[in-house]
Amino acid sequence: MRSFNYHKPDTLDAALALLSGNDEALPIAGGMTLLPTMKQRLAAPEDLVDLSGLPGLADVAMEGDILVIGAMTRHADVAASPLVKEKLPALANLASRIGDQQVRHRGTIGGSISNNDPAADYPAAVLALNAEIVTSKRTIAADDFFVAMFETALEPGELVTAIRFPLPEVAAYMKFANPASRYALAGVFVAKTTSAVRVAVTGAGPSVFRASDIEAALAESFDATALERISIDASELMSDIHADNEYRANLVMVMARRAVALAQQSG
Amino acid sequence: MQISFSLNDEPVTVDVDPSTLLSDLIREQLSLTGTHVGCDTSQCGACVVHVNGDSVKSCTMLAVSADGGEVRTVEGLSKSDADLHPMQIAFRENHGLQCGFCTPGMLMSAIDLVKNNPDPNEAEIREWLEGNICRCTGYQNIVKSIIAGAAAMRAAS
Ligand SMILES: Cc1cc2nc3c(=O)[nH]c(=O)nc-3n(C[C@H](O)[C@H](O)[C@H](O)COP(=O)(O)OP(=O)(O)OC[C@H]3O[C@@H](n4cnc5c(N)ncnc54)[C@H](O)[C@@H]3O)c2cc1C
Ligand code: FES
Ligand code: FES
């Protein structure tokens, strides 16, 4: 790893000042993605701005009907939070299955969504739950946040501070995990509110996406049987050493049916 | 950069380059070679230590991130060979290791598991060991060791 200047600011303003106008600076949260990338020299920042000293970024709280999770909240803390377990158990369950316990002790929700790995779990929850991403300068709707593989709507120097989750009637996440890395080969998050059903797919495409055919079928009848005649177009899905696109397309439907069944049980 | 933290209950102050990994600081600079580096790519868990009480992979954490914190390595589990931690005794008695390369990480993960879940069942142990790879034992005896070690830790507390 190339060396860098290390900064650990204790206010958000100081962090933003360090990042602003400096193309060679990067924020670091849990480092579970960034440090491996730096070891491979795929990233070589000159300045690293550690967000772990910023106050108030790791809080979990209800604001009215919205569950607000601070960007620096670790996966293990989301998984163990009594509030998340009560209000949005599908999200606690998702967090409990990211990587392994040691990854969950360092990795954060803000880091995960900012990175937008095509196989990451949180982006599926954020998109299906129609969450809002609060940043240092604005609030971004989930539909506008995830742009492409490893690409988000964040501008250079812009920091995610919190994610705001409206509570669904029922929701569930199912993933078929890569047996080695635990990343999703295909993961489907299903969320039903009083007005809509939203379904987000991760692991299968170049970036998380909403599956409109599945959403339409479930809006008519929120039952796994409603998906029996639906299939998903494999041509835009990924093929790699772990699975080809046809296999992923099939897995998406299997995970979608299982997620709906699980959501019905928990609802 | 100068950093200070508690290492196995002793205060240490060291000078490190910001890019130093916690695993390298522990092994190379502080000469505690019980913490192993098996992969350096966050997969194998041989490098697991406790930071502020939680098990983490020390190969994927900057040493500077430990500044002001508490670090415990496998050396910090017992004062002498005659006074092993109950989990270490359980691994020895249940043949929970062969070559021993993965063992420091296994012990540190297992003890963190028991802290969170004093009476884990087999499925919970296997789930928790997701990030610890062993190339020798086939895991059976590691699971057996952890069940016995958890019982001994409960009895001791
Ligand atoms: C062995 C292993 C297994 C894993 N398995 C899974 C898995 O099954 N599912 C899964 O989803 N993930 C998995 N991960 C990834 C893990 O969840 C990471 O923790 C996560 O992707 C990144 O979070 P972080 O806090 O570690 O971010 P970092 O690595 O610190 O940062 C990631 C990127 O986001 C930027 N960033 C960080 N925080 C912010 C912020 N607040 N605002 C703006 N930009 C920010 C950084 O500059 C960097 O570019 C795994 C990782 C490992 C090492
Ligand atoms: S050496 Fe750290 S996980 Fe393998
Ligand atoms: S005992 Fe050899 S790797 Fe586990």
Side-chain angles (χ1 to χ4, degrees):
Chain A
M1 186 187 320
R2 275 227 334 251
S3 195
F4 47 80
N5 304 308
Y6 174 80
H7 311 272
K8 192 172 172 184
D10 47 22
T11 65
L12 184 60
D13 284 345
L16 293 170
L18 285 160
L19 291 165
S20 96
N22 181 353
D23 292 348
E24 302 296 327
L26 276 182
I28 182 166
M32 294 310 296
T33 294
L34 186 54
L35 291 174
T37 317
M38 288 168 64
K39 286 184 188 179
Q40 292 175 287
R41 299 209 175 182
L42 295 171
E46 270 170 29
D47 292 274
L48 206 55
V49 181
D50 188 342
L51 306 181
S52 67
L54 305 184
L57 285 196
D59 297 341
V60 178
M62 288 300 294
E63 277 179 22
D65 292 339
I66 310 273
L67 176 68
V68 185
I69 300 184
M72 289 297 288
T73 312
R74 302 177 308 166
H75 308 332
D77 295 329
V78 172
S81 160
L83 192 62
V84 181
K85 282 187 186 167
E86 183 200 328
K87 300 290 182 186
L88 194 44
L91 192 72
N93 183 34
L94 174 151
S96 76
R97 292 167 56 223
I98 296 176
D100 55 57
Q101 190 64 31
Q102 289 71 40
V103 169
R104 296 191 290 269
H105 275 149
R106 298 286 307 162
T108 68
I109 186 168
S112 175
I113 66 164
S114 303
N115 190 53
N116 193 19
D117 187 300
D121 297 305
Y122 270 129
V126 169
L127 191 57
L129 291 164
N130 201 12
E132 289 179 330
I133 294 94
V134 185
T135 78
S136 47
K137 54 166 87 152
R138 54 189 168 143
T139 298
I140 308 173
D143 281 318
D144 302 325
F145 185 79
F146 302 104
V147 175
M149 186 184 274
F150 294 112
E151 204 183 317
T152 66
L154 290 173
E155 289 164 12
E158 183 175 10
L159 292 174
V160 175
T161 55
I163 299 94
R164 297 170 56 85
F165 292 97
L167 298 184
E169 261 177 10
V170 292
Y173 179 62
M174 269 290 173
K175 79 165 156 176
F176 190 90
N178 175 322
S181 75
R182 304 322 267 180
Y183 272 102
L185 269 185
V188 178
F189 200 107
V190 175
K192 180 177 182 295
T193 63
T194 43
S195 57
V197 177
R198 288 170 64 106
V199 176
V201 177
T202 189
S207 174
V208 64
F209 64 92
R210 282 175 66 188
S212 43
D213 290 355
I214 302 180
E215 288 182 354
L218 292 176
E220 229 152 76
S221 156
F222 193 77
D223 194 277
T225 54
L227 300 181
E228 269 163 14
R229 270 189 290 268
I230 309 262
S231 62
I232 181 161
D233 179 9
S235 64
E236 311 233 318
L237 301 186
M238 292 189 295
S239 287
D240 56 27
I241 53 165
H242 306 297
D244 65 20
N245 56 344
E246 298 283 348
Y247 182 62
R248 279 192 161 91
N250 184 56
L251 269 185
V252 169
M253 293 314 304
V254 175
M255 292 302 118
R257 288 195 291 270
R258 288 187 189 169
V260 173
L262 183 64
Q264 283 174 314
Q265 268 173 34
S266 54
Chain B
M1 261 184 84
Q2 198 175 64
I3 59 169
S4 300
F5 56 99
S6 139
L7 177 61
N8 300 332
D9 304 318
E10 300 288 335
V12 292
T13 295
V14 284
D15 243 321
V16 291
D17 184 277
S19 65
T20 308
L21 299 168
L22 182 59
S23 51
D24 287 338
L25 170 66
I26 292 169
R27 288 179 53 83
E28 310 294 334
Q29 244 172 294
L30 301 171
S31 301
L32 292 181
T33 53
T35 299
H36 292 168
V37 175
C39 66
D40 204 29
T41 55
S42 332
Q43 314 289 329
C44 76
C47 66
V48 170
V49 302
H50 296 173
V51 176
N52 301 328
D54 289 332
S55 55
V56 301
K57 291 174 175 174
S58 62
C59 77
T60 314
M61 179 171 162
L62 296 174
V64 287
S65 297
D67 191 21
E70 281 177 27
V71 178
R72 185 171 302 279
T73 68
V74 70
E75 288 89 349
L77 293 183
S78 51
K79 297 220 160 45
S80 73
D81 290 354
D83 176 32
L84 293 180
H85 187 283
M87 191 61 79
Q88 290 174 306
I89 295 173
F91 268 68
R92 185 176 65 192
E93 288 180 349
N94 291 281
H95 205 115
L97 58 147
Q98 289 181 26
C99 78
F101 194 85
C102 68
T103 313
M106 289 288 176
L107 289 167
M108 300 314 279
S109 280
I111 291 166
D112 190 26
L113 165 63
V114 177
K115 186 191 82 183
N116 285 279
N117 178 357
D119 190 6
N121 63 32
E122 175 172 349
E124 288 164 340
I125 292 171
R126 288 184 184 275
E127 171 74 28
W128 188 277
L129 292 186
E130 176 59 42
N132 290 88
I133 293 174
C134 175
R135 308 251 61 180
C136 305
T137 63
Y139 302 97
Q140 296 292 78
N141 287 347
I142 293 179
V143 174
K144 232 166 97 184
S145 303
I146 295 175
I147 290 172
M153 284 172 69
R154 286 197 303 278
S157 69

